[in-house]
Amino acid sequence: MRDELLKEIKKAKDEICKSVYKQLKSKENNIAFFINEPCYFYVVESANRYDFERMFIEGETVMVEYTVGNGYEPCEYKRETDKLSSFELGEICEIIKRLRD
């Protein structure tokens, strides 16, 4: 049962990423920007603050550009660019919620 449900989650994640790609492909310059609102993803006993900047297409892949720091009000940030598909399903939902319309 568990393996079947995990396959369904992966399938749903893949479908969402494909849908984001299609939507992004229809936007000017294939770029979308985010609202200026931090997002927190929790890892074990700590939180990481993410400030998403833009989402764009590189080749056939949706990429997300952001800064990340450890804690609620980090002293240091690191700039990152990752594939949308590298995030967990719940994180992808949070990323999508922060897109500007």
Side-chain angles (χ1 to χ4, degrees), residues 40-101:
Y40 298 94
F41 294 149
Y42 301 93
V43 182
V44 187
E45 295 180 8
S46 68
N48 289 329
R49 177 180 168 158
Y50 288 75
D51 290 291
F52 296 104
E53 297 172 19
R54 69 185 182 123
M55 184 184 293
F56 60 96
I57 293 175
E58 185 175 275
E60 298 293 313
T61 307
V62 176
M63 304 297 291
V64 180
E65 188 175 87
Y66 60 94
T67 56
V68 61
N70 191 287
Y72 287 98
E73 293 297 327
C75 295
E76 295 181 25
Y77 287 92
K78 187 166 68 169
R79 188 174 199 80
E80 297 282 341
T81 303
D82 287 315
K83 296 177 183 178
L84 179 64
S85 61
S86 71
F87 292 91
E88 296 293 327
L89 182 58
E91 295 171 340
I92 291 171
C93 291
E94 290 301 317
I95 291 169
I96 290 170
K97 287 178 187 177
R98 283 161 176 78
L99 282 169
R100 286 189 207 162
D101 282 331

Side-chain angles (χ1 to χ4, degrees), residues 29-41:
N29 297 323
N30 302 326
I31 297 174
F33 293 95
F34 294 93
I35 58 175
N36 188 17
E37 179 182 301
C39 179
Y40 298 94
F41 294 149

Side-chain angles (χ1 to χ4, degrees), residues 12-26:
K13 178 180 161 181
D14 292 343
E15 288 300 315
I16 290 169
C17 288
K18 286 178 189 175
S19 181
V20 170
Y21 177 84
K22 284 182 190 176
Q23 293 284 326
L24 207 49
K25 198 74 171 160
S26 70

